[in-house]
Amino acid sequence: MTTLVDSTFYVLPRNPRGDTLHEESRGDWTLGIKERKRKAELITTMKYFIKHLVGWTSVAVMSLFIFQLCVAAFAQEENKKQDLGITKQPSQSSSTGAGVSSIGMSEAKTGEADVVGNLELKLGGNRRPLYRLNRSDVVALTFTLAPEFDQTLTIQPDGYITLKDAPPVLAQGLTLEEFRAAVRQAYTGYFHDPQVAVALKDFQRPYFIAGGEVGRPGRYELREDTTIMEAVEIAGGFTHVAKHSQVLLFRRVNDDLVEARVFNLKKMLKEKKLGEASELRPGDLVFVPQNSISKIEPFLSKPSFGMYMSSTQF
């Protein structure tokens, strides 16, 4: 008996790309890791940038807010300085008769002038300083509701003023409005709400003094803007021994300091530049010295002296 064995078998062909596929799978896995790592680094960088950006933005916003607060505070302080001491006084014309009516009208006009002056200050205009009381000035006090306290007073040499049934008040150096407030304060214990008007009856007129080699040395009223050249002419002009090139102007700065300036009026006249001459202020002293030649003239022979030079040249 014969047994047949089927020796037929199938031989599968070898896959030539088997190793290649394995290497490609490993490469894709490596690339995936690198991509994820790069994305993680990118996300970390963006978070760091956003964090610092938010911090700097907060600092900038806070700085801008503080700057705006400083600007607002500065503007408010400037407005307070401009409005300080400039108030409008109420009119009291409706209280009593004609006399009180005129006082009320005066106070109303004063208030309107203060408002106009305040407006000029805010618009950038210049305003002359208010008059301040001085020794020997005469002021009149008018009480609206108590006419028996009306009084006309003169400021004493010590700067004080003696009120009726009230303590003395320092008036020197005060404006009329400041003096009015001081009088109201002095009468607070006598009246509930003192209503008083202050009027300047007489005051020390502005003046300047001219001395030295001028025609008429003395004291002159300063009624308008006057230059040092005009002051010399008002005082009679130069004498024949005056030193035109060295005219002195003395100006008191305070109780302890006096400013001295020298003007060459001879040069100003020669070059016709009179605009350089300084304007006088109340209390200024203009002094014209004697020239050097005139000082030794008495010791020289007059015929020989006049032959060579004239004292008016100096």
Side-chain angles (χ1 to χ4, degrees):
M1 180 174 182
T2 303
T3 303
L4 298 177
V5 178
D6 188 4
S7 60
T8 305
F9 63 93
Y10 295 93
V11 179
L12 295 176
R14 184 181 178 181
N15 187 2
R17 299 183 66 245
D19 297 337
T20 306
L21 289 175
H22 179 70
E23 292 177 358
E24 289 180 355
S25 300
R26 186 171 59 186
D28 293 342
W29 181 75
T30 304
L31 291 175
I33 293 177
K34 291 182 178 179
E35 185 68 22
R36 287 194 296 270
K37 185 177 181 181
R38 185 167 59 252
K39 289 182 179 180
E41 292 176 352
L42 180 61
I43 292 174
T44 303
T45 304
M46 293 181 64
K47 288 182 178 180
Y48 177 82
F49 177 75
I50 292 174
K51 180 180 178 181
H52 284 73
L53 179 63
V54 171
W56 284 108
T57 304
S58 302
V59 172
V61 171
M62 290 298 298
S63 300
L64 181 61
F65 179 72
I66 295 174
F67 176 75
Q68 291 179 348
L69 288 179
C70 293
V71 171
F74 179 79
Q76 186 176 6
E77 186 67 21
E78 288 296 325
N79 291 335
K80 288 182 178 180
K81 289 181 180 179
Q82 291 180 356
D83 296 335
L84 184 61
I86 305 177
T87 56
K88 182 175 180 179
Q89 299 181 2
S91 176
Q92 302 170 351
S93 58
S94 59
S95 300
T96 54
V100 178
S101 176
S102 61
I103 296 171
M105 292 176 64
S106 300
E107 292 181 350
K109 291 180 180 179
T110 304
E112 292 175 359
D114 289 341
V115 172
V116 173
N118 188 15
L119 181 60
E120 290 178 354
L121 280 176
K122 291 183 178 180
L123 294 178
N126 295 326
R127 175 176 176 174
R128 292 180 178 271
L130 297 177
Y131 178 78
R132 295 188 176 274
L133 297 174
N134 206 343
R135 293 184 292 267
S136 301
D137 288 352
V138 180
V139 292
L141 305 181
T142 304
F143 290 82
T144 304
L145 304 179
E148 63 274 11
F149 281 88
D150 294 352
Q151 47 197 302
T152 300
L153 305 170
T154 302
I155 300 178
Q156 302 171 0
D158 58 0
Y160 282 84
I161 201 168
T162 303
L163 300 175
K164 181 179 180 180
D165 296 336
V169 172
L170 179 63
Q172 184 178 1
L174 302 180
T175 64
L176 291 181
E177 183 60 29
E178 293 171 347
F179 177 66
R180 176 176 175 272
V183 172
R184 291 192 59 183
Q185 181 67 27
Y187 279 101
T188 301
Y190 298 89
F191 303 101
H192 173 65
D193 185 17
Q195 298 296 327
V196 58
V198 179
L200 184 62
K201 292 296 185 180
D202 193 12
F203 59 94
Q204 186 179 25
R205 268 69 175 177
Y207 68 92
F208 72 92
I209 298 175
E213 299 301 328
V214 292
R216 297 185 300 273
R219 173 171 169 167
Y220 296 88
E221 289 189 6
L222 192 62
R223 297 179 177 271
E224 56 187 1
D225 295 339
T226 304
T227 65
I228 186 172
M229 180 68 73
E230 294 170 341
V232 172
E233 295 302 322
I234 293 174
F238 294 106
T239 63
H240 69 283
V241 295
K243 191 171 185 178
H244 306 61
S245 60
Q246 196 174 0
V247 179
L248 302 176
L249 174 63
F250 296 95
R251 177 171 296 165
R252 181 173 294 278
V253 179
N254 51 44
D255 294 338
D256 302 323
L257 182 63
V258 176
E259 177 187 8
R261 300 175 61 185
V262 181
F263 293 89
N264 190 345
L265 299 187
K266 180 180 180 180
K267 182 179 178 181
M268 293 182 187
L269 289 172
K270 184 178 180 180
E271 298 179 357
K272 299 180 181 179
K273 295 182 179 180
L274 301 182
E276 298 179 359
S278 176
E279 290 189 357
L280 300 185
R281 295 181 183 177
D284 283 355
L285 169 63
V286 179
F287 182 79
V288 181
Q290 185 180 2
N291 59 42
S292 301
I293 298 300
S294 63
K295 294 179 181 179
I296 62 174
E297 184 179 2
F299 305 100
L300 298 177
S301 175
K302 291 189 179 296
S304 60
F305 177 77
M307 183 181 301
Y308 296 103
M309 61 186 64
S310 174
S311 62
T312 58
Q313 297 178 356
F314 301 91

